Amino acid sequence: RSHRIVSRTLWRFGYSARLLKTNHFRAAASHTSFPAVWMLLAQYSGRIPGLFVAAEKNRFFTMPEAVEDKADLELYSPNPEVRGMTLLNREAFKRTVLVPALKVKKEIVNALVKSLKHTVLQRPGLKRVVEDPEDEDSRFVILDPHKIPEFSLGESEQEVLKQLDVCPEVSKYNLELTYENFKAEEILRAVLPEGQEVTSGFSRVGHIAHLNLRDHQLPYRHLIGQVIIDKNPGITCVVNKTNIIDSTYRNFQMEVLAGDSNLVTKVKENNIAYELDFSKVYWNPRLSTEHGRIVELLKPGDVLFDVFAGIGPFAIPAAKKKCQVFANDLNPESYKWLLHNCKLNKVEKKIKAFNMDGREFLLGPVREELSKELPLLKEEQKTSFHIVMNLPALAIEFLDVFRHFLAGEPCGTARLPTVHCYGFSKHDDPAKDIQERAEASLGTSLAGRCSTYLVRNVAPNKEMLCISFQLPADVLYKRPCPDGANPASKRLCTSKDASEEELELKKS
């Protein structure tokens, strides 16, 4: 088992680097290899010693910085009586700790703090200078108890005090810590059963924090939700996913843990604003980099067919880039918000939106547009056609629709549509797995004519990938039957392909 874990980890880091060397889809590789590496580093920085990478701001959040020092953990732990609390009582977290302090005249406080900047208390939210209740002309400068062991100053500190004519005697000061002074992780670590995982982090979608709580955390879910609201300005609603995304419309059941129940929110991704009802449509802030990567491949004048468009994170930036866009989603709510966001971003005239089954969309509007436009393109024209299929649970199964998708003679190779298809893999070699499954659906080999890209790690031993390739002419085109063909051959030429038959059976 350990060998498998090591091999998968090596693949995650090594595979994206190998994209730099590929001879296929050089444009895609050149734009995406480094983001892939950094995404991987961010994902695994917590698991591999020595790697520390900052996550993209306002996208995915772990709980605030971990408490690294055991002594720090003991010093800044809330009142131990809060263990097991399920209904938040902020007053119960109060605790008084004994810390070192220097009594000085208020006139020299600033000079002393500046001279002992590495020794004074640096804890966010705590005052390091407090009034002396017995002497209005004096102040207490609070020192870091870890830097002043046993309330004894070192030689360098004593020399500073001598120069400032300050008494070197260290006082013992009772510092009161309240709920406001503790970090979210410290609060939850004190409340949840000792030794158990505190949280797995959360996604932020506008004013909403989205959690995926573990079973042992569920009894504390409402308290966890309120703590996240208290400690994260701008968050006013916390929800927990209660089932996996397995519905036809790619949304999931969720429970509001704390705050208001307004799940209509605003988000900003790659400098584009979107509005959505988080309870009814799919939105994942972790896909921001991937949306930008694909749009970066497009040029003004290109045509994008977005088969599972959601609320428009591929379609809208492509339209703003002056591409012609056909966007589709089966979910009526996604379609509604897609139209809304097109107007919000003033691209409603550049996007043709559809509310159809993905296969029906491909066999209808996509086939019609390609049949009309491909034969008209001249060799010198540089228009490219891209088909994005971002439904990783099922999209690869849709690829069979392209078998004999168009009639007539193949167009030039340069004008063949490029497909970007997403999928999940739990295989030891995810890239190989995703390519083999795509080849099975298409009925042809993609060796040497595709690239695979690791999008993100979804769960332990589960990766999300994108495979990109130009549709092979021998797959895409159905040649017209020659005159005089024998009846058996003619039946094969004129028969509908499997995907059309499947669609008609579905309708019936």
Side-chain angles (χ1 to χ4, degrees), residues 246-406:
D246 59 355
S247 67
T248 304
Y249 295 151
R250 281 203 298 175
N251 50 16
F252 48 80
Q253 296 298 313
M254 62 180 70
E255 177 187 10
V256 176
L257 304 183
D260 62 55
S261 298
N262 176 25
L263 296 180
V264 174
T265 188
K266 298 178 180 180
V267 296
K268 196 167 187 179
E269 180 183 274
N270 300 326
N271 296 316
I272 295 178
Y274 301 89
E275 295 180 355
L276 61 127
D277 185 335
F278 190 55
S279 66
K280 295 179 179 178
V281 304
Y282 180 78
W283 179 265
N284 190 334
R286 295 177 181 88
L287 295 178
S288 169
T289 301
E290 180 61 12
H291 296 150
R293 180 182 79 89
I294 294 296
V295 174
E296 185 69 21
L297 302 177
L298 306 176
K299 304 183 301 294
D302 283 353
V303 180
L304 174 68
F305 301 102
D306 193 351
V307 185
F308 312 104
I311 67 167
F314 287 115
I316 290 173
K320 291 182 81 68
K321 201 172 181 179
K322 298 183 180 179
C323 295
Q324 184 180 359
V325 179
F326 295 75
N328 172 72
D329 203 280
L330 178 63
N331 182 354
E333 285 291 327
S334 294
Y335 175 71
K336 181 184 83 172
W337 287 102
L338 172 63
L339 295 177
H340 174 82
N341 287 308
C342 286
K343 292 180 180 178
L344 181 67
N345 289 282
K346 300 178 181 179
V347 293
E348 66 270 24
K349 294 180 180 179
K350 299 177 183 178
I351 296 179
K352 294 182 180 179
F354 302 85
N355 180 207
M356 305 170 69
D357 172 78
R359 189 174 291 269
E360 188 176 345
F361 173 66
L362 287 165
L363 290 169
V366 176
R367 171 187 272 173
E368 180 182 342
E369 187 67 17
L370 289 177
S371 298
K372 179 179 66 176
E373 294 297 328
L374 285 179
L376 300 178
L377 285 182
K378 298 177 181 178
E379 282 298 330
E380 63 272 15
Q381 289 181 288
K382 296 182 179 180
T383 300
S384 296
F385 295 86
H386 293 261
I387 302 172
V388 173
M389 303 174 69
N390 184 18
L391 183 64
L394 296 172
I396 290 179
E397 298 175 15
F398 280 74
L399 291 176
D400 67 329
V401 77
F402 294 114
R403 295 193 190 190
H404 295 170
F405 191 63
L406 301 175

Side-chain angles (χ1 to χ4, degrees), residues 62-81:
T62 56
M63 294 308 295
E65 58 269 31
V67 182
E68 298 173 355
D69 192 300
K70 184 177 179 181
D72 201 51
L73 179 64
E74 293 173 354
L75 179 66
Y76 296 117
S77 291
N79 189 325
E81 294 182 4

Side-chain angles (χ1 to χ4, degrees), residues 7 52 60 63 87 89 94 100 131 218 269 282 309 318 323 326 366 383 426 437 473 478:
S7 65
F52 300 93
F60 175 71
M63 294 308 295
L87 183 64
N89 175 7
K94 282 185 179 179
E131 293 183 357
L218 292 177
E269 180 183 274
Y282 180 78
C323 295
F326 295 75
V366 176
T383 300
K426 295 183 178 181
R437 286 160 52 199
K478 177 171 61 179

